[in-house]
Amino acid sequence: MNPSADVLALASVDVDLKPIPVGSGITVLWRGKPIFVRHRTAQEIKAAEDVKLASLIQPQPDADRVKPGHAAWIVLVGVCTHLGCVPLGQKATDPRGEWGGWFCPCHGSVYDTSGRIRKGPAPKNLHLPPYTFVDETLIRIG
Ligand code: FES
């Protein structure tokens, strides 16, 4: 049995990166989950790359969380790994916590610009959805 067109449409979501200015992000829904797509500033990339891995709760280099050659883009499942709230930080005007990434106000978890947990009760980094760059300005999630 072949999946219907609407099921296929949900299986992957294309995101045009062109309208997302540096420093901002957008949230898209993929399989019922919010996916954060954020266009990082040079400063945010550097902060994510320079962190000492030993200081992290779940050590993971930034390079393992972005696609090679595309460090400006971080793509994350926008669900706090504590109890599943949606953290703030997608808008430049949102509170982003002391590492400039995302802040979950539910119980105070703070994520850095790589989506790694830095403080608070969340035990893990924000998860990474499967995605690929179709070309320089288009990603396909799923
Ligand atoms: Fe995010 Fe509790 S759900 S800190």
Side-chain angles (χ1 to χ4, degrees):
M1 195 171 82
N2 291 324
S4 60
D6 57 336
V7 168
L8 278 176
L10 286 175
S12 69
V13 174
D14 286 357
V15 181
D16 180 9
L17 303 177
K18 286 192 286 295
I20 310 173
V22 176
S24 285
I26 63 161
T27 304
V28 297
L29 264 192
W30 172 68
R31 296 188 178 176
K33 292 183 195 140
I35 303 295
F36 293 168
V37 180
R38 187 149 135 196
H39 194 178
R40 302 189 297 183
T41 65
Q43 215 175 9
E44 288 169 343
I45 297 166
K46 186 165 169 28
E49 289 174 345
D50 286 355
V51 69
K52 285 197 175 60
L53 290 186
S55 69
L56 296 174
I57 293 165
Q58 185 189 1
Q60 195 177 27
D62 186 64
D64 288 359
R65 296 178 57 79
V66 296
K67 300 294 184 198
H70 295 285
W73 298 98
I74 184 93
V75 182
L76 304 162
V77 177
V79 174
C80 182
T81 61
H82 180 223
L83 293 178
C85 295
V86 178
L88 301 172
Q90 285 298 88
K91 289 193 224 121
T93 51
D94 279 351
R96 289 176 163 177
E98 60 213 272
W99 288 274
W102 290 265
F103 171 64
C104 186
C106 302
H107 315 90
S109 288
V110 184
Y111 297 89
D112 68 14
T113 57
S114 194
R116 293 169 299 202
I117 182 65
R118 303 299 293 273
K119 189 169 126 183
K124 292 191 168 159
N125 301 334
L126 293 178
H127 296 299
L128 307 172
Y131 73 98
T132 50
F133 273 82
V134 177
D135 61 36
E136 287 306 300
T137 59
L138 187 75
I139 60 168
R140 180 161 298 151
I141 301 166

mmCIF file of all heavy atoms in Angstrom, residues 52-76:
data_model
loop_
_atom_site.group_PDB
_atom_site.id
_atom_site.type_symbol
_atom_site.label_atom_id
_atom_site.label_comp_id
_atom_site.label_asym_id
_atom_site.label_seq_id
_atom_site.Cartn_x
_atom_site.Cartn_y
_atom_site.Cartn_z
ATOM 1 N N LYS A 52 34.759 24.726 26.055
ATOM 2 C CA LYS A 52 35.538 23.559 26.506
ATOM 3 C C LYS A 52 34.571 22.396 26.705
ATOM 4 O O LYS A 52 33.634 22.478 27.510
ATOM 5 C CB LYS A 52 36.230 23.880 27.831
ATOM 6 C CG LYS A 52 37.430 24.777 27.688
ATOM 7 C CD LYS A 52 38.295 24.699 28.965
ATOM 8 C CE LYS A 52 39.573 25.484 28.809
ATOM 9 N NZ LYS A 52 39.349 26.920 28.539
ATOM 10 N N LEU A 53 34.811 21.317 25.976
ATOM 11 C CA LEU A 53 33.861 20.205 26.017
ATOM 12 C C LEU A 53 33.685 19.647 27.426
ATOM 13 O O LEU A 53 32.596 19.219 27.804
ATOM 14 C CB LEU A 53 34.310 19.083 25.072
ATOM 15 C CG LEU A 53 34.200 19.384 23.577
ATOM 16 C CD1 LEU A 53 34.535 18.162 22.763
ATOM 17 C CD2 LEU A 53 32.815 19.904 23.219
ATOM 18 N N ALA A 54 34.755 19.682 28.208
ATOM 19 C CA ALA A 54 34.693 19.124 29.564
ATOM 20 C C ALA A 54 33.715 19.902 30.446
ATOM 21 O O ALA A 54 33.253 19.389 31.467
ATOM 22 C CB ALA A 54 36.076 19.119 30.185
ATOM 23 N N SER A 55 33.388 21.129 30.036
ATOM 24 C CA SER A 55 32.474 21.929 30.861
ATOM 25 C C SER A 55 31.007 21.631 30.515
ATOM 26 O O SER A 55 30.104 22.175 31.149
ATOM 27 C CB SER A 55 32.763 23.422 30.661
ATOM 28 O OG SER A 55 32.389 23.815 29.350
ATOM 29 N N LEU A 56 30.785 20.793 29.536
ATOM 30 C CA LEU A 56 29.407 20.537 29.094
ATOM 31 C C LEU A 56 28.776 19.372 29.843
ATOM 32 O O LEU A 56 29.454 18.409 30.210
ATOM 33 C CB LEU A 56 29.391 20.235 27.588
ATOM 34 C CG LEU A 56 29.836 21.364 26.674
ATOM 35 C CD1 LEU A 56 29.908 20.880 25.234
ATOM 36 C CD2 LEU A 56 28.896 22.552 26.794
ATOM 37 N N ILE A 57 27.468 19.454 30.025
ATOM 38 C CA ILE A 57 26.716 18.384 30.692
ATOM 39 C C ILE A 57 26.679 17.148 29.782
ATOM 40 O O ILE A 57 26.888 16.025 30.218
ATOM 41 C CB ILE A 57 25.297 18.881 31.037
ATOM 42 C CG1 ILE A 57 25.400 19.976 32.104
ATOM 43 C CG2 ILE A 57 24.400 17.737 31.495
ATOM 44 C CD1 ILE A 57 24.151 20.806 32.295
ATOM 45 N N GLN A 58 26.428 17.379 28.497
ATOM 46 C CA GLN A 58 26.503 16.292 27.506
ATOM 47 C C GLN A 58 27.507 16.738 26.438
ATOM 48 O O GLN A 58 27.132 17.394 25.470
ATOM 49 C CB GLN A 58 25.131 16.021 26.871
ATOM 50 C CG GLN A 58 25.154 14.826 25.949
ATOM 51 C CD GLN A 58 23.873 14.665 25.127
ATOM 52 O OE1 GLN A 58 22.943 15.456 25.209
ATOM 53 N NE2 GLN A 58 23.839 13.614 24.331
ATOM 54 N N PRO A 59 28.784 16.418 26.644
ATOM 55 C CA PRO A 59 29.814 16.955 25.745
ATOM 56 C C PRO A 59 29.613 16.517 24.297
ATOM 57 O O PRO A 59 29.470 15.329 24.016
ATOM 58 C CB PRO A 59 31.116 16.364 26.311
ATOM 59 C CG PRO A 59 30.792 15.983 27.714
ATOM 60 C CD PRO A 59 29.349 15.585 27.701
ATOM 61 N N GLN A 60 29.566 17.504 23.437
ATOM 62 C CA GLN A 60 29.419 17.232 22.002
ATOM 63 C C GLN A 60 29.952 18.449 21.261
ATOM 64 O O GLN A 60 29.486 19.573 21.512
ATOM 65 C CB GLN A 60 27.931 17.012 21.681
ATOM 66 C CG GLN A 60 27.686 16.376 20.345
ATOM 67 C CD GLN A 60 26.197 16.100 20.108
ATOM 68 O OE1 GLN A 60 25.320 16.770 20.641
ATOM 69 N NE2 GLN A 60 25.927 15.119 19.281
ATOM 70 N N PRO A 61 30.941 18.245 20.371
ATOM 71 C CA PRO A 61 31.459 19.403 19.641
ATOM 72 C C PRO A 61 30.397 20.018 18.738
ATOM 73 O O PRO A 61 29.549 19.302 18.201
ATOM 74 C CB PRO A 61 32.607 18.832 18.794
ATOM 75 C CG PRO A 61 32.746 17.405 19.159
ATOM 76 C CD PRO A 61 31.566 16.990 19.990
ATOM 77 N N ASP A 62 30.480 21.320 18.564
ATOM 78 C CA ASP A 62 29.533 21.996 17.674
ATOM 79 C C ASP A 62 29.586 21.394 16.270
ATOM 80 O O ASP A 62 28.557 21.275 15.609
ATOM 81 C CB ASP A 62 29.842 23.498 17.634
ATOM 82 C CG ASP A 62 28.804 24.263 16.836
ATOM 83 O OD1 ASP A 62 27.632 24.276 17.255
ATOM 84 O OD2 ASP A 62 29.161 24.825 15.792
ATOM 85 N N ALA A 63 30.794 21.007 15.854
ATOM 86 C CA ALA A 63 30.954 20.462 14.497
ATOM 87 C C ALA A 63 30.118 19.202 14.281
ATOM 88 O O ALA A 63 29.769 18.877 13.136
ATOM 89 C CB ALA A 63 32.430 20.164 14.224
ATOM 90 N N ASP A 64 29.804 18.492 15.361
ATOM 91 C CA ASP A 64 28.976 17.287 15.231
ATOM 92 C C ASP A 64 27.487 17.615 15.207
ATOM 93 O O ASP A 64 26.650 16.716 15.078
ATOM 94 C CB ASP A 64 29.228 16.335 16.402
ATOM 95 C CG ASP A 64 30.583 15.664 16.307
ATOM 96 O OD1 ASP A 64 31.313 15.924 15.333
ATOM 97 O OD2 ASP A 64 30.911 14.888 17.226
ATOM 98 N N ARG A 65 27.158 18.909 15.388
ATOM 99 C CA ARG A 65 25.750 19.288 15.487
ATOM 100 C C ARG A 65 25.286 20.145 14.306
ATOM 101 O O ARG A 65 24.126 20.567 14.264
ATOM 102 C CB ARG A 65 25.505 20.024 16.817
ATOM 103 C CG ARG A 65 25.768 19.089 18.006
ATOM 104 C CD ARG A 65 25.581 19.759 19.337
ATOM 105 N NE ARG A 65 24.273 20.338 19.559
ATOM 106 C CZ ARG A 65 23.175 19.659 19.908
ATOM 107 N NH1 ARG A 65 23.234 18.342 20.058
ATOM 108 N NH2 ARG A 65 22.035 20.287 20.089
ATOM 109 N N VAL A 66 26.216 20.441 13.400
ATOM 110 C CA VAL A 66 25.861 21.183 12.194
ATOM 111 C C VAL A 66 26.376 20.406 10.984
ATOM 112 O O VAL A 66 27.174 19.479 11.137
ATOM 113 C CB VAL A 66 26.470 22.618 12.211
ATOM 114 C CG1 VAL A 66 25.887 23.452 13.341
ATOM 115 C CG2 VAL A 66 27.983 22.573 12.291
ATOM 116 N N LYS A 67 25.921 20.805 9.808
ATOM 117 C CA LYS A 67 26.406 20.140 8.597
ATOM 118 C C LYS A 67 27.731 20.770 8.165
ATOM 119 O O LYS A 67 27.897 21.994 8.286
ATOM 120 C CB LYS A 67 25.380 20.276 7.461
ATOM 121 C CG LYS A 67 24.025 19.662 7.768
ATOM 122 C CD LYS A 67 24.106 18.158 7.899
ATOM 123 C CE LYS A 67 22.711 17.570 8.117
ATOM 124 N NZ LYS A 67 22.771 16.211 8.662
ATOM 125 N N PRO A 68 28.671 19.960 7.666
ATOM 126 C CA PRO A 68 29.960 20.503 7.252
ATOM 127 C C PRO A 68 29.790 21.655 6.251
ATOM 128 O O PRO A 68 28.998 21.547 5.311
ATOM 129 C CB PRO A 68 30.656 19.306 6.577
ATOM 130 C CG PRO A 68 29.961 18.099 7.121
ATOM 131 C CD PRO A 68 28.557 18.522 7.445
ATOM 132 N N GLY A 69 30.482 22.754 6.517
ATOM 133 C CA GLY A 69 30.408 23.909 5.623
ATOM 134 C C GLY A 69 29.176 24.778 5.840
ATOM 135 O O GLY A 69 28.970 25.758 5.131
ATOM 136 N N HIS A 70 28.349 24.421 6.816
ATOM 137 C CA HIS A 70 27.110 25.174 7.051
ATOM 138 C C HIS A 70 26.965 25.543 8.529
ATOM 139 O O HIS A 70 25.878 25.420 9.106
ATOM 140 C CB HIS A 70 25.892 24.366 6.602
ATOM 141 C CG HIS A 70 25.850 24.110 5.128
ATOM 142 N ND1 HIS A 70 25.519 25.079 4.213
ATOM 143 C CD2 HIS A 70 26.133 23.005 4.413
ATOM 144 C CE1 HIS A 70 25.584 24.576 2.989
ATOM 145 N NE2 HIS A 70 25.959 23.319 3.086
ATOM 146 N N ALA A 71 28.066 26.001 9.114
ATOM 147 C CA ALA A 71 28.051 26.302 10.554
ATOM 148 C C ALA A 71 27.091 27.436 10.904
ATOM 149 O O ALA A 71 26.713 27.591 12.061
ATOM 150 C CB ALA A 71 29.459 26.648 11.025
ATOM 151 N N ALA A 72 26.689 28.226 9.917
ATOM 152 C CA ALA A 72 25.758 29.322 10.211
ATOM 153 C C ALA A 72 24.376 28.802 10.580
ATOM 154 O O ALA A 72 23.580 29.529 11.173
ATOM 155 C CB ALA A 72 25.650 30.256 9.011
ATOM 156 N N TRP A 73 24.089 27.547 10.242
ATOM 157 C CA TRP A 73 22.730 27.027 10.443
ATOM 158 C C TRP A 73 22.719 25.931 11.479
ATOM 159 O O TRP A 73 23.435 24.941 11.348
ATOM 160 C CB TRP A 73 22.170 26.498 9.121
ATOM 161 C CG TRP A 73 22.069 27.584 8.102
ATOM 162 C CD1 TRP A 73 22.952 27.868 7.100
ATOM 163 C CD2 TRP A 73 21.038 28.569 8.010
ATOM 164 N NE1 TRP A 73 22.528 28.960 6.389
ATOM 165 C CE2 TRP A 73 21.350 29.417 6.928
ATOM 166 C CE3 TRP A 73 19.865 28.816 8.740
ATOM 167 C CZ2 TRP A 73 20.545 30.497 6.570
ATOM 168 C CZ3 TRP A 73 19.059 29.888 8.378
ATOM 169 C CH2 TRP A 73 19.409 30.708 7.301
ATOM 170 N N ILE A 74 21.890 26.134 12.503
ATOM 171 C CA ILE A 74 21.682 25.064 13.479
ATOM 172 C C ILE A 74 20.208 24.668 13.385
ATOM 173 O O ILE A 74 19.327 25.532 13.314
ATOM 174 C CB ILE A 74 22.091 25.492 14.902
ATOM 175 C CG1 ILE A 74 21.953 24.329 15.886
ATOM 176 C CG2 ILE A 74 21.343 26.709 15.418
ATOM 177 C CD1 ILE A 74 23.198 23.534 16.076
ATOM 178 N N VAL A 75 19.976 23.374 13.327
ATOM 179 C CA VAL A 75 18.619 22.846 13.167
ATOM 180 C C VAL A 75 18.375 21.852 14.307
ATOM 181 O O VAL A 75 19.132 20.884 14.464
ATOM 182 C CB VAL A 75 18.458 22.161 11.790
ATOM 183 C CG1 VAL A 75 17.030 21.648 11.606
ATOM 184 C CG2 VAL A 75 18.829 23.128 10.664
ATOM 185 N N LEU A 76 17.355 22.126 15.096
ATOM 186 C CA LEU A 76 17.152 21.391 16.342
ATOM 187 C C LEU A 76 15.693 21.008 16.516
ATOM 188 O O LEU A 76 14.802 21.724 16.042
ATOM 189 C CB LEU A 76 17.515 22.294 17.532
ATOM 190 C CG LEU A 76 18.923 22.892 17.551
ATOM 191 C CD1 LEU A 76 18.965 24.080 18.504
ATOM 192 C CD2 LEU A 76 19.926 21.842 17.959
#
